[in-house]
Amino acid sequence: QTVSANVATCSISTLSVSTHPITAVYNGDSNFNASPPSTAVSQVVNKANTSVALTSSQNPAPLGTNITFTAAISITSPGTGTTSGTVQFRDGATPIAGCSAVTVAMNSAACSTTALTAGNHTISAIYSGDTNFNTSTGNLTGNPQVITGPPVLVPAVGLSRVKSAPATNSQIGTVSDDVSSPGSIVVTVQTAPTGISVTNIVNNNGTITADIAAGCAAATGPATVVLNAADGKGLSQNANLGVNILASGLAGNVSTI
């Protein structure tokens, strides 16, 4: 380095993590002799600190969604460089399957999963550190990760109909949902036995009613109508509605609930 006003300065950012004995040797000039090496100065280079910013590709998300969690690793100034190592993604205290040691590339690591169950999940990412950088942990921005489930359809019990009698209106069940309003859930008939009709289905804020009739072709005895409840998240659930079909001579036992 050039000497100016009897001083020379050296700036460097490539020293590895270690203790380095630094010396200086003056080369002399036309007027001054060279000097022997100076007394060594121990320059300690520590690992740089890091931090983790963790984001989700979709929150909340319906059950079964392929969610990607991305951990972005930042190096705390004055440290610089590119991190290596791995990141472990956790759901609470449990590593997410397939994401227990994701390799860091370009200061980032990502975990994709469809395995989260319905409910709230506290997601975190733990950076392992490497030879130059310290470990760090980050929590999901917007924690918890919310996984919404399908609507809950609870069918009514004790329904009976008499063969060939006119259709009568009954409550056939109730619906609820963890995100959608109950009244927005659409209930339909998936399957019904021969001769049994379920029509004019109405959802009154989660209370489901319909006109039910058993024609002459319906078999007497217990029958099962499969209902479906669908919400606006693309999720649905089936439930079995039991209807007891009575012979026409047993009209006194009809239940409309």
Side-chain angles (χ1 to χ4, degrees):
Q1 298 295 317
T2 301
V3 175
S4 175
N6 294 334
V7 174
T9 301
C10 171
S11 295
I12 188 171
S13 62
T14 57
L15 293 180
S16 62
V17 174
S18 184
T19 299
H20 300 265
I22 306 299
T23 60
V25 178
Y26 174 53
N27 294 325
D29 61 13
S30 59
N31 297 313
F32 299 98
N33 291 322
S35 66
S38 67
T39 301
V41 173
S42 293
Q43 175 64 54
V44 179
V45 178
N46 296 317
K47 290 185 179 184
N49 290 329
T50 60
S51 61
V52 177
L54 180 59
T55 57
S56 168
S57 60
Q58 186 175 348
N59 191 15
L63 183 68
T65 300
N66 188 10
I67 300 170
T68 298
F69 298 110
T70 301
I73 303 165
S74 298
I75 301 166
T76 304
S77 181
T80 60
T82 302
T83 57
S84 60
T86 61
V87 171
Q88 183 179 89
F89 294 84
R90 291 186 177 183
D91 177 7
T94 304
I96 296 174
C99 299
S100 61
V102 180
T103 301
V104 174
M106 300 298 292
N107 294 339
S108 181
C111 163
S112 295
T113 181
T114 60
L116 296 182
T117 57
N120 294 343
H121 299 264
T122 302
I123 307 298
S124 61
I126 302 172
Y127 169 53
S128 66
D130 60 17
T131 56
N132 296 316
F133 300 101
N134 287 320
T135 184
S136 58
T137 299
N139 294 318
L140 177 65
T141 301
N143 248 341
Q145 172 69 50
V146 179
I147 303 298
T148 58
V152 177
L153 173 58
V154 180
V157 296
L159 284 174
S160 296
R161 286 298 182 270
V162 176
K163 290 180 61 171
S164 301
T168 54
N169 190 266
S170 296
Q171 180 178 332
I172 62 172
T174 60
V175 288
S176 60
D177 192 79
D178 50 11
V179 174
S180 305
S181 64
S184 68
I185 298 169
V186 177
V187 177
T188 56
V189 175
Q190 288 286 92
T191 61
T194 300
I196 297 177
S197 65
V198 181
T199 58
N200 298 324
I201 298 175
V202 174
N203 180 350
N204 184 11
N205 197 33
T207 299
I208 311 301
T209 59
D211 294 337
I212 305 175
C216 61
T220 57
T224 299
V225 176
V226 180
L227 302 176
N228 176 266
D231 60 20
K233 308 185 298 290
L235 301 177
S236 64
Q237 183 193 63
N238 288 345
N240 294 334
L241 173 68
V243 182
N244 190 32
I245 308 303
L246 304 174
S248 58
L250 302 177
N253 295 327
V254 175
S255 170
T256 58
I257 301 183

